């Protein structure tokens, strides 16, 4: 559940999380000069914290995720796990 996300805010990404080796994820990770050859984690693309969606609302049209690394300004989040709100 979302209450167990201790790595930062629950994220809402434009598309469901995908493997780091997926072509679109590889392209973004490559732009960030990140080596994805050993990454088997799920990544989220174009993500924002759920607390920023709407005014006072927590709606997400895609799968909400909890990610280990959200340090790329929402472009990509690494180590994502789907959560229930």
């Amino acid at each position: 559940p979302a209450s167990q996300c201790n790595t930062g805010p629950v994220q809402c990404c434009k598309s469901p999380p995908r493997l780091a080796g997926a072509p679109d994820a590889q392209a973004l990770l490559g732009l960030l000069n990140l080596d994805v050859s050993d990454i088997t984690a799920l990544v989220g693309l174009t993500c924002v914290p759920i607390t920023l969606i709407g005014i006072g609302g927590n709606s997400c049209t895609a799968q909400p995720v909890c990610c280990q690394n959200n340090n790329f300004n929402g472009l990509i989040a690494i180590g994502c796990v789907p959560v229930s709100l």
Side-chain angles (χ1 to χ4, degrees), residues 19-67:
L19 290 174
D24 51 352
Q26 274 188 328
L28 285 174
L29 289 164
L31 289 173
L32 296 169
N33 292 322
L34 296 173
D35 180 13
V36 296
S37 59
D38 293 333
I39 297 177
T40 58
L42 293 176
V43 297
L45 305 177
T46 54
C47 306
V48 295
I50 287 203
T51 54
L52 296 180
I53 298 174
I55 305 217
N58 285 336
S59 63
C60 179
T61 57
Q63 174 71 51
V65 294
C66 179
C67 304

